[in-house]
Amino acid sequence: MISNKMIDLVKNSSVIRAMFEEGKILASKYGEDNVFDFSLGNPSVEPPEEIKEAITTIIQTEKANLVHGYMNNSGYEDVRGEIARSLNQRFDTKFSEKNIIMTVGAAGGLNVILKTICNPEDEVIVFAPYFGEYRNYAANYDAKLVVVSPNTKTFQPNLDEFEQKITNKTKAVIINSPNNPTGVVYSEETIQKISSILEQKEKEYNSSIFIISDEPYRELAYDGVHVPYLTKYYKNTVVGYSFSKSLSLPGERIGYLVIPDEVDDFEDMIAAANVANRILGFVNAPSLLQRVVAKCIDAKVDISSYNRNRELLYNSLVEYGYTCAKPEGAFYLFIKAFEEDDVAFANAAKKHNILIVPGSSFACPGYCRIAYCVDYEKIEKALPGFKKLAEEYNL
Amino acid sequence: MISNKMIDLVKNSSVIRAMFEEGKILASKYGEDNVFDFSLGNPSVEPPEEIKEAITTIIQTEKANLVHGYMNNSGYEDVRGEIARSLNQRFDTKFSEKNIIMTVGAAGGLNVILKTICNPEDEVIVFAPYFGEYRNYAANYDAKLVVVSPNTKTFQPNLDEFEQKITNKTKAVIINSPNNPTGVVYSEETIQKISSILEQKEKEYNSSIFIISDEPYRELAYDGVHVPYLTKYYKNTVVGYSFSKSLSLPGERIGYLVIPDEVDDFEDMIAAANVANRILGFVNAPSLLQRVVAKCIDAKVDISSYNRNRELLYNSLVEYGYTCAKPEGAFYLFIKAFEEDDVAFANAAKKHNILIVPGSSFACPGYCRIAYCVDYEKIEKALPGFKKLAEEYNL
């Protein structure tokens, strides 16, 4: 009785679901402590203490009907103003509350902007490896995902192929840096090249092509790496942000869209995104959490724990003979499988109670993603398994 | 640059937006206290005290990574179990956590279930007058809204026309009782008749036709009126619930779907709704608020305030010569306009600084909706204006 589209979607979802179920079986067999689940991007670091304080203060001091009531579908004006102020301070931008739309996480924001701009058959370009949900989000609006194949040397985007794949149907390009699943940060040079290719193509086709910058991992960057703020490089840029990782609040579904004054048809875009937020059933971003993030706008989770995990895992795996681009951000490592079939490789890892996600889920077969947002001790205990796995293939 | 669909949607949204803007202009001209805004369903009654206590307890005693973290896309199992237990106790049903999917309000839930079941061109039946967003929700999945014209005597559904409008394309019927905009509660007799018509049509077409029961106003029922629980009358019933009104939390976007064991293809339905919740960008209902409503499952807002408003407004308007079905639930009154053109009538009301919504927004021209979820004093102060308005037409 379910719709034809959902039949396929349920089928495709079953790979990760099966992994999840297998993880539970392994845990019941060997004990939770002896199963090493690196499959999920669920933050292990606690939210900063400011969150608890902010919730308590708001509940004690603000009017309940304000805190829990309806507001403009785009969110509270004061919250949006506070976010604009913080962005301007950090990135030397000139946003105001009218450029900010509060959303149900970045996933909600991406759906809002895609609903806003996509006609059926419009093309949305992504760079492999990419977060698999982009395919579903585009399909929600009958847009067509166009995949640029991966550059497996650096995992920077493949720009020649990108240029060739832009057509008069191209409506948007999704950029996700720091990247899921590679952890790679796109360099300023990459961003400049993408921008100049797009500017040229907009002229050629007399069209608007939007960059949608999906930035849940913006604050998770290591070694002082520079993560360019994309609205400064390309006019038609819309930013989708989430507090899920920066404040360890993934369950709360709180994020925002930035739609700069400079985008084509700004007034229409803002009006349409506001309506899309409503009619998609979000209505507005959760109200209490809007007020909480505004109070915690300069707070951050302690990323030194993730960094410690990254160093231990990256250095150990390289020592054992694994190949991977050193991640500069997010909490993922993307390793080359020791055989072509990444699903078989993930299954071989499972024999050591190690759960990792095959790269095919990210349109990059032959690789696997390790999510290291877990306890340090978990990584320490998993290392012998990773070592044995390497030896099995390389002896 | 916005999509063709959104161009129309933005245009249609502008009627209510214009009213909102006019309200602000009136308020600045005559003072907030002298403008009587009955246009919005934003609860005026404070959330029950239990909400504040629950938030405080959870923040103090539960692990932050649990409270704010990812969980199954359908929600926390313990929360879903608690909701099932409460429903079973109140309605003598037999639900368990597997029948409950936590959603981003009822709007989120309705979108999830429509995405789950609708193929393009499927038909979704609604009874006029109906909440205008249903049209947008159905359109999100390219389903076609089929409207049964209103029975303006009782505002119970027009069942003969309903029966005639069911086709082999009918996938669902949305029932909203207590009703927005009329406040009418559909009687048990009505529900039984709807069920038996649907059962017969399912046989005739060898199809599944779902009742989607949209129930944000279930707890707002007066004079001890019985609001039937629809899963007990018809097998293929899915309930969409929201805590927005029962706990005055509309900004928090927290609700749930009930998908009973008995629905056709139950396992597929549950799996698909879980996936739909994720890929539509909701991912899951806001986590802290899930835990809060589970703790407050038997709490309720003080509906005696709404009841007082209802009595004052209904009795006064009838005395002034207005016609309207006495509302038994929700916080709306649906009055007959004194002229055919309900928009003109709403404009005439505006001259008395009274803001009401034309019935055409609910597919029922010639009527207007008054949302009485406002302060009692506001109603008292507005009554002379309502009286003068009646006199203008009836002198």
Side-chain angles (χ1 to χ4, degrees), chain A residues 322 338 345 348-349 352 384-394:
Chain A
Y322 288 86
F338 285 123
F345 183 73
H352 300 278
F386 277 111
K387 194 174 179 190
K388 273 187 220 146
L389 181 63
E391 284 165 1
E392 281 164 24
Y393 281 94
N394 297 320

Side-chain angles (χ1 to χ4, degrees), chain A residues 1 3-4 44 52 59 65 68 115-116 119 133 140 208 251-253 265 278-279 282 284 287-288, chain B residues 1 3-4 44 52 59 65 68 115-116 119 133 140 208 251-253 265 278-279 282 284 287-288:
Chain A
M1 280 317 118
S3 72
N4 299 332
S44 55
K52 197 189 274 193
I59 292 298
N65 272 355
H68 305 300
K115 171 91 176 173
T116 298
N119 287 312
E133 290 291 87
N140 284 340
S208 300
E252 301 295 0
R253 317 309 306 132
D265 295 340
R278 197 191 80 218
I279 66 174
F282 301 114
N284 55 252
S287 51
L288 169 61
Chain B
M1 280 315 119
S3 74
N4 299 333
S44 54
K52 197 188 272 193
I59 293 297
N65 272 355
H68 306 298
K115 172 92 175 173
T116 298
N119 287 312
E133 290 291 270
N140 284 339
S208 300
E252 300 294 0
R253 317 308 307 135
D265 296 340
R278 197 189 81 219
I279 66 173
F282 301 114
N284 55 252
S287 51
L288 169 60

